């Protein structure tokens, strides 16, 4: 029963990190719209720096929380044993969490781009097969205009994945393959 609750906590903490990364991205986007940037470049630069730092800290620092057994004991009432960093017990608990987070990033980081792509394809199909979907040339041009590529978000995701991989991949070589899959 305790092993099952430990595995559930590991999965839950991985899911929590992924959810927190998504909330961070939404919050930074919302707050960047309220800031008075002089250009789109400075806005994108600020978004990139904040996203990269917060995602790296959130994704890479999860092991600090799980390694400190007194935090778990005080907050959650867990009786988990303390494992020193980078020991076999550490890899069985925290290493699995880091792997799960990186595997979740493979899918979660690309969902928004996939939705934009399928909306673009739907607009193209609709403008081609439904005559009243695009009555003017301007509407037709907008239908054929592809989704906006936000470099700040993509670059922050790539760099945070790379930094987390380089931080932990010496002890977990599977992270190299997961990181390569994230870049596809």
């Amino acid at each position: 029963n305790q092993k099952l609750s430990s595995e559930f906590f590991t999965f839950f903490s991985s899911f929590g990190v992924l959810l927190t990364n998504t909330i961070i991205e939404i919050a930074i986007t919302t707050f960047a719209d309220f800031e008075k940037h002089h250009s789109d470049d400075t806005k994108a630069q600020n978004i990139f720096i904040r996203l990269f730092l917060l995602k790296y800290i959130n994704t890479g620092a999860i092991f600090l929380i799980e390694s400190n057994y007194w935090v778990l004991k005080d907050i959650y009432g867990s009786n988990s044993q303390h494992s020193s960093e980078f020991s076999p017990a550490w890899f069985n608990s925290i290493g699995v969490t880091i792997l799960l987070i990186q595997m979740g990033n493979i899918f979660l980081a690309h969902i928004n781009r996939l939705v934009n792509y399928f909306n673009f394809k739907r607009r193209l199909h609709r403008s081609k097969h439904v005559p009243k979907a695009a009555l003017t040339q301007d509407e037709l041009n907008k239908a054929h205009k592809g989704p906006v590529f936000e470099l700040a978000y993509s670059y922050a995701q790539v760099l945070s994945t790379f930094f987390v991989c380089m931080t932990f991949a010496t002890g977990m070589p599977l992270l190299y393959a997961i990181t390569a899959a994230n870049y596809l």
Side-chain angles (χ1 to χ4, degrees), residues 120 123-124 127 134 136-146:
F120 170 67
R123 282 195 322 263
L124 281 179
S127 68
T136 65
Q137 184 64 42
D138 187 46
E139 291 174 351
L140 191 60
N141 288 348
K142 288 179 183 176
H144 284 268
K145 185 179 174 184

Side-chain angles (χ1 to χ4, degrees), residues 106-170:
I106 292 172
F107 302 106
L108 195 62
H110 304 294
I111 286 176
N112 189 29
R113 288 179 198 87
L114 286 173
V115 168
N116 287 341
Y117 175 75
F118 287 124
N119 283 338
F120 170 67
K121 285 296 193 181
R122 184 182 54 81
R123 282 195 322 263
L124 281 179
H125 182 271
R126 190 164 182 255
S127 68
K128 191 177 203 180
H129 296 295
V130 179
K132 293 186 179 185
L135 296 176
T136 65
Q137 184 64 42
D138 187 46
E139 291 174 351
L140 191 60
N141 288 348
K142 288 179 183 176
H144 284 268
K145 185 179 174 184
V148 177
F149 181 73
E150 297 286 345
L151 184 63
Y153 300 100
S154 299
Y155 198 48
Q157 179 64 37
V158 165
L159 275 183
S160 66
T161 300
F162 178 77
F163 274 64
V164 169
C165 174
M166 290 299 126
T167 302
F168 299 109
T170 307

Side-chain angles (χ1 to χ4, degrees), residues 70-127:
W70 60 271
V71 172
L72 296 177
K73 186 176 181 182
D74 290 344
I75 295 175
Y76 297 107
S78 174
N79 292 328
S80 63
Q81 297 296 319
H82 174 67
S83 61
S84 61
E85 283 78 10
F86 306 112
S87 68
W90 185 91
F91 285 111
N92 286 333
S93 60
I94 287 84
V96 170
T97 305
I98 293 168
L99 288 171
L100 286 173
I101 292 167
Q102 292 304 314
M103 285 190 290
N105 273 338
I106 292 172
F107 302 106
L108 195 62
H110 304 294
I111 286 176
N112 189 29
R113 288 179 198 87
L114 286 173
V115 168
N116 287 341
Y117 175 75
F118 287 124
N119 283 338
F120 170 67
K121 285 296 193 181
R122 184 182 54 81
R123 282 195 322 263
L124 281 179
H125 182 271
R126 190 164 182 255
S127 68

